[in-house]
Every structure is written in C-alpha cells, then in structure tokens.
Amino acid sequence: MQQEEDDYFQSEEFLDILSRYEQAMSTGRTPYMDSDELVDVADYYMSQGKHQEAKKATELALDLHPDAEDPVTMMADIMFETHQWQDSILWLNRVLDNDPFDVQAWLNLADAQLQCEQFAEALDSAEYTLAIKPDNGQALLQKAYAMSRQERCQEASEVFDQYLARFPDDDVALYYAAFNLSVLERFEEANDMLIRAEEISDGLSPEHLNICLQRSYTEARIGHLQEALDALERSKNYQDPDAEGDYNLLYAHVHLLFQQKEKAIEYFSKSLSSSKDPINT
C-alpha cells in the first residue's frame, strides 16, 4: 500500500495535479480542482510531514465540495495525527455520520476519547468496533483500558486476559493489565506480568520506565525489598535526563512498607531539600 502511494506521488499524473495546485496558491488564486485531486495533494503533504499545508488543501476541498466525504476523512486524519484530540473527535464523528461501519474511524475515535479522558465514550466506541469486527485486538485493548480507568477493574481484568491470550507478547498491554491487577491488590499476579513485560521490552518499549517503576511497587507489596530497590535503580536508565525527577520519595515509600522508618525519614528529608519534582508512578 505504501509503495503504491509513493509510486503515485512520483507519477506524471500526480505531479501535474501538484504543480497546478502550487502554481495557483503561489499567485494567490483559488485552484478550482476536484475534491479527489485536493485530497491527493493533502495526502502528499501529510506524507512529507507538512501538516499545515495538508490542512490548507483539505480546507479548500471542504469549501469547494461541501458534500464530499473524502475531505472530511482527510481532516479527521490530520487532526488525529497532529494529536489535536478534541478536534479529532469532532471530525471523526462526522466521518462516522457518513459511514457508521468505518472500523478505523471507530478505533481512532476511541483513542482520541481516551486521550481526552472520556472513558465512557471510549468504551462505547470500542464496543461499536467489536460489534462490527469482533476479533479486533486494538478495540479489545481499548475496552479493557477504558474499563480500568472507570474503576471497573474486575471486568477490565477479564478483558485484558482475553487480549493477552491472543497477544501474549504485548509488553504495553502487560503493563496496563498489571497496573489494573495492582488496583485489585492481586500483587503476585501483577508482578509476574511485569517481569514478563520487562523481559519482552528489553528497554525498547515506550512504557519501559513505567514497567520498572510499577514493578518496584509490586515487588515491595509482596515483600521483596531488594528486588523493589533494584527495579527502581533500573528505571533510572530509562528516565529522560532532561526531565530527571526526584526518586527520594519512591525510595522512602519502599522502605516505609518494610517498617524501615529511619531509612524512610532519610529519603523524605532528601526529597524535601531537592529542587526536582517527584517521580510519579
């Protein structure tokens, strides 16, 4: 698919479309072009990372062809890819008004709603996807996460299990499932998942820092002091140096769980004198 798109963007047909568009825009004239042509121009700019130019071409397509569906889909894609979540939700709903069976639009809508902490709405969107395509793994994970964030943790755990039965090597899903189990105080199971997640991630996952931090917590809750401290130490390898935070509170909490009050007070004191913000877990 990507190769076909690249070939089209280098074709004489498309280069003529792009030339006509850019010549008109450079002279301040409105390029009166077909909706499909303007969407192709926008799609090309998106492939080049030129989001503002893509948006401008799409806005023109919407002005010239208000009843066309493709410009609506393109605008939704632009908003989603540039993480303009609220606008993304608005445009994706317009896409779904045109085609309520568009699976990718439902998936993107659920993601945008999760980003905006609209967890009930995200759950509904995930359920719509699953009604259309019951075997969709992404929607299953969205459903589990949305349930967890609504504090429906037992139900979420069951859905996470369904997902992980199909995708056992998804380290990010293992992390979220473990976090959910921690809320249920099922720390042994959570810790086993985090061990597995850390092994799979091998430092490459975007959630690796959080995997280590959460593992420190679960190790402490099941009585493994040294393992908890070791996990904290490993997490430092994945902390952004420019955003390095204060680990002292985390060390203090671990020692406090083991009734090591003097050690905990020592770290609390260090935290009070630190100019860094505490690390969140």
Coordinates of all heavy atoms in Angstrom, one line a residue, residues 130-215:
L130 N -16.1 -3.6 18.1 CA -16.2 -5.0 18.3 C -17.5 -5.6 17.7 O -17.6 -6.8 17.3 CB -16.0 -5.3 19.8 CG -14.6 -5.1 20.3 CD1 -14.7 -5.1 21.9 CD2 -13.6 -6.1 19.8
A131 N -18.5 -4.7 17.7 CA -19.8 -5.2 17.1 C -19.6 -5.4 15.6 O -20.2 -6.3 15.0 CB -20.9 -4.2 17.4
I132 N -18.8 -4.5 15.0 CA -18.5 -4.6 13.5 C -17.5 -5.7 13.2 O -17.7 -6.5 12.3 CB -18.0 -3.3 13.0 CG1 -19.0 -2.2 13.2 CG2 -17.7 -3.4 11.5 CD1 -18.5 -0.8 13.0
K133 N -16.4 -5.8 14.1 CA -15.3 -6.7 13.9 C -15.0 -7.3 15.2 O -14.1 -6.8 15.9 CB -14.2 -6.0 13.2 CG -13.1 -6.9 12.6 CD -12.1 -6.1 11.8 CE -11.1 -7.0 11.1 NZ -10.1 -6.3 10.3
P134 N -15.6 -8.4 15.6 CA -15.4 -9.0 16.9 C -14.0 -9.4 17.2 O -13.6 -9.5 18.4 CB -16.4 -10.2 16.9 CG -17.4 -9.9 15.9 CD -16.6 -9.1 14.8
D135 N -13.2 -9.7 16.2 CA -11.8 -10.2 16.5 C -10.8 -9.0 16.5 O -9.6 -9.3 16.5 CB -11.4 -11.2 15.5 CG -11.3 -10.6 14.0 OD1 -11.9 -9.5 13.8 OD2 -10.8 -11.3 13.2
N136 N -11.2 -7.8 16.6 CA -10.3 -6.7 16.5 C -9.5 -6.5 17.9 O -10.1 -6.1 18.9 CB -11.0 -5.4 16.2 CG -10.0 -4.2 15.9 OD1 -9.5 -3.6 16.8 ND2 -9.8 -4.0 14.6
G137 N -8.3 -6.8 17.9 CA -7.5 -6.8 19.1 C -7.3 -5.4 19.7 O -7.3 -5.2 20.9
Q138 N -7.1 -4.4 18.8 CA -7.0 -3.0 19.3 C -8.2 -2.5 20.1 O -8.1 -1.9 21.1 CB -6.7 -2.0 18.1 CG -6.4 -0.6 18.6 CD -6.1 0.3 17.4 OE1 -5.8 -0.1 16.3 NE2 -6.1 1.6 17.6
A139 N -9.4 -2.9 19.5 CA -10.6 -2.5 20.2 C -10.7 -3.2 21.6 O -11.2 -2.6 22.5 CB -11.8 -2.8 19.3
L140 N -10.3 -4.4 21.6 CA -10.4 -5.2 22.8 C -9.5 -4.5 23.9 O -9.9 -4.4 25.1 CB -9.9 -6.6 22.6 CG -10.3 -7.7 23.6 CD1 -11.8 -7.8 23.8 CD2 -9.7 -9.0 23.2
L141 N -8.3 -4.1 23.5 CA -7.4 -3.4 24.5 C -8.0 -2.1 24.9 O -7.9 -1.7 26.1 CB -6.0 -3.3 23.8 CG -4.9 -2.7 24.7 CD1 -4.7 -3.6 25.9 CD2 -3.6 -2.6 23.9
Q142 N -8.6 -1.3 24.0 CA -9.2 -0.1 24.3 C -10.3 -0.3 25.3 O -10.5 0.5 26.3 CB -9.8 0.6 23.0 CG -8.7 1.1 22.1 CD -9.3 1.6 20.8 OE1 -10.4 1.1 20.4 NE2 -8.6 2.5 20.1
K143 N -11.1 -1.4 25.1 CA -12.2 -1.7 26.0 C -11.7 -2.0 27.4 O -12.2 -1.4 28.4 CB -13.0 -2.9 25.5 CG -14.1 -3.4 26.4 CD -14.8 -4.6 25.8 CE -15.9 -5.1 26.7 NZ -16.6 -6.2 26.1
A144 N -10.6 -2.8 27.5 CA -10.0 -3.1 28.8 C -9.5 -1.8 29.5 O -9.8 -1.6 30.7 CB -8.9 -4.1 28.6
Y145 N -8.8 -1.0 28.8 CA -8.2 0.2 29.4 C -9.3 1.2 29.8 O -9.2 1.7 30.9 CB -7.3 0.9 28.4 CG -6.5 2.1 29.0 CD1 -5.5 1.9 29.9 CD2 -6.9 3.3 28.6 CE1 -4.9 3.0 30.4 CE2 -6.2 4.4 29.1 CZ -5.2 4.3 30.0 OH -4.6 5.3 30.6
A146 N -10.3 1.3 29.0 CA -11.4 2.3 29.4 C -12.1 1.8 30.6 O -12.5 2.6 31.5 CB -12.4 2.4 28.2
M147 N -12.4 0.5 30.7 CA -13.0 -0.1 31.9 C -12.1 0.1 33.1 O -12.6 0.5 34.2 CB -13.2 -1.6 31.7 CG -14.4 -1.9 30.8 SD -14.6 -3.8 30.7 CE -16.3 -3.8 30.1
S148 N -10.8 -0.1 33.0 CA -9.9 0.1 34.1 C -9.9 1.5 34.6 O -10.0 1.8 35.8 CB -8.5 -0.3 33.7 OG -7.6 -0.1 34.8
R149 N -10.0 2.5 33.7 CA -10.0 3.9 34.1 C -11.3 4.3 34.7 O -11.4 5.3 35.3 CB -9.6 4.8 32.9 CG -8.2 4.6 32.4 CD -7.2 4.9 33.5 NE -7.3 6.2 34.1 CZ -6.7 7.3 33.6 NH1 -5.8 7.2 32.6 NH2 -6.8 8.5 34.2
Q150 N -12.3 3.5 34.4 CA -13.6 3.8 35.0 C -13.8 3.0 36.4 O -14.9 3.0 37.0 CB -14.8 3.3 34.1 CG -15.0 4.2 32.9 CD -16.1 3.7 32.0 OE1 -16.0 2.7 31.4 NE2 -17.2 4.4 32.1
E151 N -12.7 2.4 36.8 CA -12.6 1.7 38.1 C -13.5 0.4 38.0 O -14.0 -0.1 39.1 CB -13.0 2.6 39.3 CG -12.0 3.8 39.4 CD -12.3 4.6 40.6 OE1 -13.3 4.3 41.4 OE2 -11.6 5.6 40.8
R152 N -13.7 -0.1 36.8 CA -14.4 -1.4 36.7 C -13.3 -2.4 36.5 O -13.2 -3.1 35.5 CB -15.3 -1.3 35.4 CG -16.4 -0.3 35.6 CD -17.2 0.0 34.3 NE -17.7 -1.2 33.7 CZ -18.4 -1.2 32.6 NH1 -18.6 -0.1 31.9 NH2 -18.9 -2.3 32.1
C153 N -12.5 -2.5 37.5 CA -11.2 -3.3 37.4 C -11.4 -4.8 37.2 O -10.6 -5.4 36.5 CB -10.3 -2.9 38.6 SG -9.8 -1.2 38.7
Q154 N -12.4 -5.4 37.9 CA -12.5 -6.8 37.7 C -13.0 -7.1 36.3 O -12.4 -8.1 35.7 CB -13.6 -7.3 38.7 CG -13.8 -8.8 38.7 CD -12.5 -9.6 38.9 OE1 -11.8 -9.3 39.9 NE2 -12.2 -10.5 38.0
E155 N -13.9 -6.3 35.7 CA -14.3 -6.6 34.4 C -13.1 -6.3 33.4 O -12.9 -7.0 32.5 CB -15.5 -5.6 34.0 CG -16.7 -5.9 34.7 CD -17.7 -4.8 34.5 OE1 -18.5 -4.8 33.5 OE2 -17.7 -3.8 35.3
A156 N -12.4 -5.3 33.7 CA -11.2 -4.9 32.9 C -10.2 -6.1 32.9 O -9.6 -6.4 31.8 CB -10.6 -3.6 33.4
S157 N -10.0 -6.7 34.1 CA -9.1 -7.8 34.2 C -9.5 -8.9 33.2 O -8.6 -9.5 32.6 CB -9.0 -8.3 35.6 OG -8.1 -9.3 35.7
E158 N -10.7 -9.2 33.2 CA -11.2 -10.3 32.3 C -11.0 -10.0 30.8 O -10.6 -10.9 30.0 CB -12.7 -10.5 32.6 CG -13.0 -11.1 34.0 CD -14.5 -11.1 34.3 OE1 -15.3 -10.8 33.4 OE2 -14.8 -11.4 35.5
V159 N -11.2 -8.7 30.5 CA -10.9 -8.3 29.1 C -9.4 -8.3 28.7 O -9.0 -8.7 27.7 CB -11.6 -7.0 28.8 CG1 -11.4 -6.6 27.3 CG2 -13.1 -7.0 29.1
F160 N -8.6 -7.8 29.7 CA -7.2 -7.9 29.5 C -6.7 -9.4 29.3 O -5.9 -9.6 28.4 CB -6.4 -7.3 30.7 CG -6.2 -5.8 30.7 CD1 -6.7 -5.1 31.7 CD2 -5.6 -5.2 29.6 CE1 -6.5 -3.7 31.8 CE2 -5.4 -3.8 29.6 CZ -5.9 -3.1 30.7
D161 N -7.3 -10.3 30.0 CA -7.0 -11.7 29.9 C -7.3 -12.2 28.5 O -6.6 -13.0 27.9 CB -7.7 -12.5 30.9 CG -7.0 -12.4 32.3 OD1 -5.9 -11.8 32.4 OD2 -7.7 -12.8 33.3
Q162 N -8.5 -11.8 28.0 CA -8.9 -12.2 26.6 C -7.8 -11.7 25.6 O -7.5 -12.4 24.7 CB -10.2 -11.6 26.3 CG -11.4 -12.2 27.0 CD -12.7 -11.4 26.7 OE1 -13.0 -11.1 25.6 NE2 -13.5 -11.1 27.7
Y163 N -7.4 -10.4 25.8 CA -6.5 -9.8 24.8 C -5.1 -10.5 24.9 O -4.5 -10.9 23.9 CB -6.3 -8.3 25.1 CG -5.3 -7.7 24.2 CD1 -5.6 -7.1 23.0 CD2 -3.9 -7.6 24.6 CE1 -4.7 -6.6 22.2 CE2 -3.0 -7.0 23.8 CZ -3.4 -6.5 22.6 OH -2.5 -5.9 21.8
L164 N -4.6 -10.8 26.1 CA -3.3 -11.3 26.3 C -3.3 -12.8 25.9 O -2.2 -13.3 25.6 CB -2.8 -11.2 27.8 CG -2.5 -9.7 28.1 CD1 -2.3 -9.6 29.6 CD2 -1.2 -9.3 27.4
A165 N -4.4 -13.5 25.9 CA -4.5 -14.9 25.4 C -4.2 -14.9 23.9 O -3.6 -15.9 23.4 CB -5.9 -15.5 25.7
R166 N -4.5 -13.8 23.2 CA -4.2 -13.7 21.8 C -2.9 -13.0 21.5 O -2.3 -13.3 20.5 CB -5.4 -12.9 21.1 CG -6.7 -13.7 21.1 CD -7.8 -12.8 20.7 NE -7.5 -12.2 19.3 CZ -8.2 -11.2 18.8 NH1 -9.2 -10.6 19.5 NH2 -7.9 -10.8 17.6
F167 N -2.5 -12.1 22.4 CA -1.3 -11.3 22.1 C -0.4 -11.3 23.4 O -0.2 -10.3 24.1 CB -1.6 -9.9 21.7 CG -2.6 -9.8 20.6 CD1 -3.9 -9.5 20.8 CD2 -2.1 -9.9 19.3 CE1 -4.8 -9.4 19.8 CE2 -3.0 -9.8 18.2 CZ -4.4 -9.6 18.4
P168 N 0.2 -12.5 23.7 CA 0.9 -12.7 25.0 C 2.2 -11.9 25.1 O 2.7 -11.7 26.2 CB 1.1 -14.2 25.1 CG 1.1 -14.6 23.6 CD 0.1 -13.8 23.0
D169 N 2.7 -11.4 24.0 CA 4.0 -10.7 24.0 C 3.9 -9.2 23.9 O 4.8 -8.5 23.5 CB 4.9 -11.2 22.9 CG 5.3 -12.7 23.1 OD1 5.3 -13.1 24.3 OD2 5.6 -13.4 22.1
D170 N 2.7 -8.7 24.1 CA 2.5 -7.2 24.1 C 2.9 -6.6 25.4 O 2.1 -6.7 26.4 CB 1.0 -6.9 23.7 CG 0.7 -5.4 23.5 OD1 1.5 -4.6 24.1 OD2 -0.2 -5.1 22.8
D171 N 4.1 -6.1 25.5 CA 4.6 -5.6 26.8 C 3.8 -4.4 27.3 O 3.6 -4.3 28.6 CB 6.0 -5.2 26.7 CG 6.3 -4.2 25.6 OD1 6.2 -4.6 24.4 OD2 6.6 -3.1 25.8
V172 N 3.2 -3.6 26.5 CA 2.4 -2.4 26.9 C 1.1 -2.9 27.5 O 0.7 -2.4 28.6 CB 2.2 -1.4 25.8 CG1 1.2 -0.3 26.2 CG2 3.5 -0.8 25.3
A173 N 0.5 -3.9 26.9 CA -0.7 -4.5 27.4 C -0.5 -5.2 28.8 O -1.3 -5.1 29.7 CB -1.3 -5.4 26.4
L174 N 0.7 -5.8 28.9 CA 1.0 -6.5 30.1 C 1.2 -5.5 31.3 O 0.7 -5.7 32.4 CB 2.3 -7.3 30.0 CG 2.2 -8.6 29.2 CD1 3.6 -9.1 28.8 CD2 1.6 -9.7 30.1
Y175 N 1.8 -4.3 30.9 CA 1.9 -3.2 31.9 C 0.6 -2.7 32.4 O 0.3 -2.6 33.6 CB 2.7 -2.1 31.3 CG 2.6 -0.8 32.1 CD1 3.1 -0.7 33.4 CD2 1.9 0.3 31.6 CE1 2.9 0.4 34.2 CE2 1.8 1.4 32.3 CZ 2.3 1.5 33.6 OH 2.1 2.7 34.3
Y176 N -0.3 -2.4 31.4 CA -1.6 -1.9 31.8 C -2.4 -3.0 32.6 O -3.2 -2.6 33.6 CB -2.4 -1.4 30.6 CG -1.9 -0.1 30.0 CD1 -1.5 0.0 28.7 CD2 -1.8 1.0 30.8 CE1 -1.1 1.1 28.2 CE2 -1.3 2.2 30.3 CZ -0.9 2.3 29.0 OH -0.5 3.4 28.5
A177 N -2.3 -4.2 32.2 CA -3.1 -5.3 32.9 C -2.5 -5.4 34.3 O -3.3 -5.7 35.2 CB -2.9 -6.6 32.1
A178 N -1.2 -5.3 34.4 CA -0.6 -5.4 35.8 C -1.0 -4.3 36.7 O -1.3 -4.5 37.9 CB 0.9 -5.5 35.6
F179 N -1.0 -3.1 36.1 CA -1.5 -1.9 36.9 C -2.9 -2.1 37.4 O -3.2 -1.9 38.5 CB -1.4 -0.7 36.0 CG -1.6 0.6 36.8 CD1 -0.5 1.3 37.3 CD2 -2.9 1.1 37.0 CE1 -0.7 2.5 38.0 CE2 -3.1 2.3 37.7 CZ -2.0 3.0 38.2
N180 N -3.7 -2.7 36.5 CA -5.1 -2.9 36.9 C -5.2 -4.0 38.0 O -6.0 -3.8 38.9 CB -5.9 -3.4 35.6 CG -7.4 -3.6 35.9 OD1 -8.1 -2.7 36.1 ND2 -7.8 -4.9 35.9
L181 N -4.4 -5.0 37.9 CA -4.4 -6.0 38.9 C -3.9 -5.5 40.3 O -4.3 -5.9 41.3 CB -3.5 -7.2 38.5 CG -4.0 -8.2 37.5 CD1 -3.0 -9.2 37.0 CD2 -5.3 -8.9 38.0
S182 N -2.9 -4.5 40.2 CA -2.4 -3.9 41.4 C -3.6 -3.1 42.1 O -3.6 -3.1 43.4 CB -1.3 -2.9 41.1 OG -0.2 -3.6 40.6
V183 N -4.4 -2.5 41.4 CA -5.6 -1.8 42.0 C -6.5 -2.8 42.7 O -7.0 -2.5 43.8 CB -6.4 -1.1 40.9 CG1 -7.7 -0.4 41.5 CG2 -5.6 0.0 40.2
L184 N -6.6 -4.0 42.2 CA -7.3 -5.1 42.8 C -6.5 -5.8 43.9 O -7.0 -6.7 44.5 CB -7.7 -6.2 41.7 CG -8.7 -5.7 40.7 CD1 -8.8 -6.7 39.5 CD2 -10.1 -5.4 41.3
E185 N -5.3 -5.3 44.1 CA -4.4 -5.9 45.2 C -4.0 -7.3 44.9 O -3.8 -8.1 45.8 CB -5.0 -5.7 46.6 CG -5.2 -4.2 46.9 CD -5.6 -4.0 48.4 OE1 -5.8 -5.0 49.1 OE2 -5.7 -2.9 48.8
R186 N -4.0 -7.7 43.6 CA -3.5 -9.0 43.2 C -2.1 -8.9 42.8 O -1.7 -8.9 41.6 CB -4.4 -9.5 42.1 CG -5.8 -9.8 42.5 CD -6.8 -9.9 41.4 NE -6.5 -10.9 40.4 CZ -7.3 -11.2 39.3 NH1 -8.4 -10.5 39.1 NH2 -6.9 -12.1 38.5
F187 N -1.2 -8.6 43.8 CA 0.1 -8.2 43.5 C 1.0 -9.3 43.0 O 1.9 -9.0 42.2 CB 0.7 -7.6 44.8 CG 0.0 -6.4 45.3 CD1 -0.6 -6.4 46.6 CD2 0.0 -5.2 44.6 CE1 -1.3 -5.3 47.1 CE2 -0.7 -4.1 45.1 CZ -1.4 -4.2 46.3
E188 N 0.8 -10.5 43.4 CA 1.7 -11.6 42.9 C 1.4 -11.7 41.4 O 2.4 -11.8 40.6 CB 1.3 -12.9 43.6 CG 1.7 -13.0 45.0 CD 3.2 -13.5 45.2 OE1 3.9 -13.6 44.1 OE2 3.6 -13.7 46.3
E189 N 0.2 -11.7 40.9 CA -0.1 -11.8 39.5 C 0.4 -10.6 38.7 O 1.0 -10.8 37.6 CB -1.6 -12.0 39.3 CG -2.3 -13.2 39.9 CD -3.8 -13.1 39.9 OE1 -4.4 -13.3 38.8 OE2 -4.3 -12.8 41.0
A190 N 0.2 -9.5 39.3 CA 0.7 -8.2 38.7 C 2.2 -8.3 38.5 O 2.7 -7.9 37.4 CB 0.3 -7.0 39.5
N191 N 2.9 -8.7 39.5 CA 4.4 -8.8 39.5 C 4.8 -9.8 38.4 O 5.8 -9.5 37.7 CB 4.9 -9.2 40.8 CG 6.4 -8.8 41.0 OD1 6.7 -7.6 40.9 ND2 7.2 -9.8 41.2
D192 N 4.2 -10.9 38.3 CA 4.5 -11.9 37.3 C 4.4 -11.3 35.9 O 5.2 -11.5 35.0 CB 3.7 -13.1 37.4 CG 4.0 -14.0 38.6 OD1 5.1 -13.8 39.1 OD2 3.2 -14.8 38.9
M193 N 3.3 -10.5 35.7 CA 3.1 -9.8 34.4 C 4.2 -8.8 34.1 O 4.7 -8.7 33.0 CB 1.8 -9.1 34.4 CG 0.6 -10.0 34.1 SD -0.9 -9.1 33.8 CE -2.1 -10.4 33.4
L194 N 4.6 -8.1 35.1 CA 5.6 -7.0 35.0 C 7.0 -7.6 34.7 O 7.8 -7.1 33.9 CB 5.7 -6.1 36.2 CG 4.4 -5.2 36.3 CD1 4.3 -4.7 37.7 CD2 4.4 -4.1 35.3
I195 N 7.3 -8.7 35.3 CA 8.5 -9.4 35.0 C 8.6 -9.8 33.5 O 9.6 -9.6 32.8 CB 8.7 -10.7 35.9 CG1 8.9 -10.3 37.3 CG2 9.8 -11.6 35.4 CD1 8.9 -11.4 38.3
R196 N 7.4 -10.4 33.1 CA 7.3 -10.8 31.7 C 7.4 -9.5 30.7 O 8.1 -9.5 29.7 CB 6.0 -11.5 31.4 CG 5.6 -11.8 30.0 CD 6.5 -13.0 29.5 NE 6.1 -13.4 28.2 CZ 6.9 -13.8 27.2 NH1 8.2 -13.8 27.5 NH2 6.4 -14.1 26.0
A197 N 6.7 -8.4 31.1 CA 6.8 -7.2 30.3 C 8.2 -6.7 30.2 O 8.6 -6.2 29.1 CB 5.8 -6.2 30.9
E198 N 8.9 -6.7 31.3 CA 10.3 -6.2 31.3 C 11.2 -7.0 30.4 O 12.0 -6.5 29.7 CB 10.8 -6.1 32.7 CG 12.1 -5.2 32.8 CD 12.5 -5.0 34.2 OE1 11.8 -5.4 35.2 OE2 13.6 -4.4 34.4
E199 N 11.0 -8.3 30.5 CA 11.8 -9.2 29.6 C 11.5 -9.0 28.1 O 12.4 -8.9 27.3 CB 11.5 -10.7 30.0 CG 12.0 -11.1 31.3 CD 11.5 -12.5 31.7 OE1 10.6 -13.0 30.9 OE2 12.0 -13.1 32.7
I200 N 10.2 -8.8 27.8 CA 9.9 -8.6 26.4 C 10.4 -7.3 25.9 O 10.9 -7.1 24.8 CB 8.3 -8.7 26.2 CG1 7.9 -10.2 26.5 CG2 7.9 -8.3 24.8 CD1 6.4 -10.3 26.7
S201 N 10.2 -6.3 26.7 CA 10.5 -4.9 26.3 C 12.0 -4.7 26.1 O 12.4 -4.1 25.1 CB 10.0 -3.9 27.4 OG 10.6 -2.6 27.1
D202 N 12.8 -5.3 27.0 CA 14.3 -5.2 26.9 C 14.7 -3.8 26.7 O 15.7 -3.5 26.0 CB 14.8 -6.1 25.8 CG 16.3 -6.4 25.9 OD1 16.8 -6.3 27.0 OD2 16.9 -6.6 24.8
G203 N 14.0 -2.8 27.4 CA 14.4 -1.4 27.3 C 14.0 -0.7 26.1 O 14.2 0.5 25.9
L204 N 13.2 -1.4 25.2 CA 12.8 -0.7 24.0 C 11.4 -0.2 24.0 O 11.0 0.6 23.1 CB 12.9 -1.7 22.8 CG 14.3 -2.3 22.6 CD1 14.3 -3.4 21.5 CD2 15.3 -1.2 22.3
S205 N 10.6 -0.6 24.9 CA 9.2 -0.2 25.0 C 9.1 1.3 25.4 O 9.8 1.7 26.3 CB 8.4 -1.0 25.9 OG 7.1 -0.5 26.2
P206 N 8.1 2.0 24.9 CA 7.9 3.4 25.4 C 7.4 3.4 26.8 O 7.5 4.4 27.5 CB 6.8 3.9 24.4 CG 6.1 2.7 23.9 CD 7.2 1.7 23.8
E207 N 6.9 2.2 27.3 CA 6.5 2.1 28.7 C 7.5 1.5 29.6 O 7.2 1.2 30.8 CB 5.2 1.3 28.7 CG 4.0 2.0 28.1 CD 3.5 3.2 28.8 OE1 3.9 3.4 30.0 OE2 2.6 3.9 28.3
H208 N 8.7 1.3 29.1 CA 9.7 0.6 30.0 C 10.0 1.3 31.3 O 10.1 0.6 32.3 CB 11.0 0.4 29.2 CG 11.9 -0.7 29.8 ND1 11.7 -2.0 29.4 CD2 12.8 -0.7 30.7 CE1 12.6 -2.8 30.1 NE2 13.2 -2.0 30.9
L209 N 10.1 2.6 31.3 CA 10.2 3.3 32.6 C 9.1 3.0 33.5 O 9.4 2.6 34.7 CB 10.3 4.8 32.3 CG 10.3 5.7 33.6 CD1 11.5 5.5 34.4 CD2 10.1 7.2 33.1
N210 N 7.9 3.0 33.1 CA 6.7 2.8 33.9 C 6.7 1.3 34.3 O 6.2 1.0 35.5 CB 5.4 3.2 33.2 CG 5.3 4.7 33.1 OD1 5.7 5.4 34.0 ND2 4.7 5.2 32.1
I211 N 7.1 0.4 33.4 CA 7.1 -1.0 33.8 C 8.0 -1.2 35.0 O 7.7 -1.9 36.0 CB 7.6 -1.9 32.6 CG1 6.5 -1.9 31.5 CG2 8.0 -3.3 33.0 CD1 7.0 -2.5 30.2
C212 N 9.2 -0.6 35.0 CA 10.2 -0.8 36.1 C 9.6 -0.1 37.4 O 9.8 -0.7 38.5 CB 11.5 -0.1 35.7 SG 12.4 -1.0 34.4
L213 N 9.1 1.1 37.3 CA 8.5 1.7 38.4 C 7.4 0.9 39.1 O 7.3 0.8 40.3 CB 8.0 3.1 38.1 CG 9.1 4.2 37.7 CD1 8.5 5.4 37.2 CD2 10.0 4.4 38.9
Q214 N 6.5 0.4 38.2 CA 5.4 -0.4 38.7 C 5.9 -1.7 39.3 O 5.3 -2.1 40.3 CB 4.4 -0.6 37.6 CG 3.1 -1.3 38.1 CD 2.3 -0.4 39.0 OE1 2.4 0.8 39.1 NE2 1.4 -1.0 39.8
R215 N 6.9 -2.2 38.7 CA 7.4 -3.5 39.3 C 8.1 -3.2 40.7 O 8.0 -4.1 41.6 CB 8.5 -4.1 38.3 CG 9.0 -5.4 38.9 CD 9.9 -6.1 37.9 NE 10.5 -7.3 38.6 CZ 11.5 -8.0 38.0 NH1 11.9 -7.7 36.8 NH2 12.0 -9.0 38.7

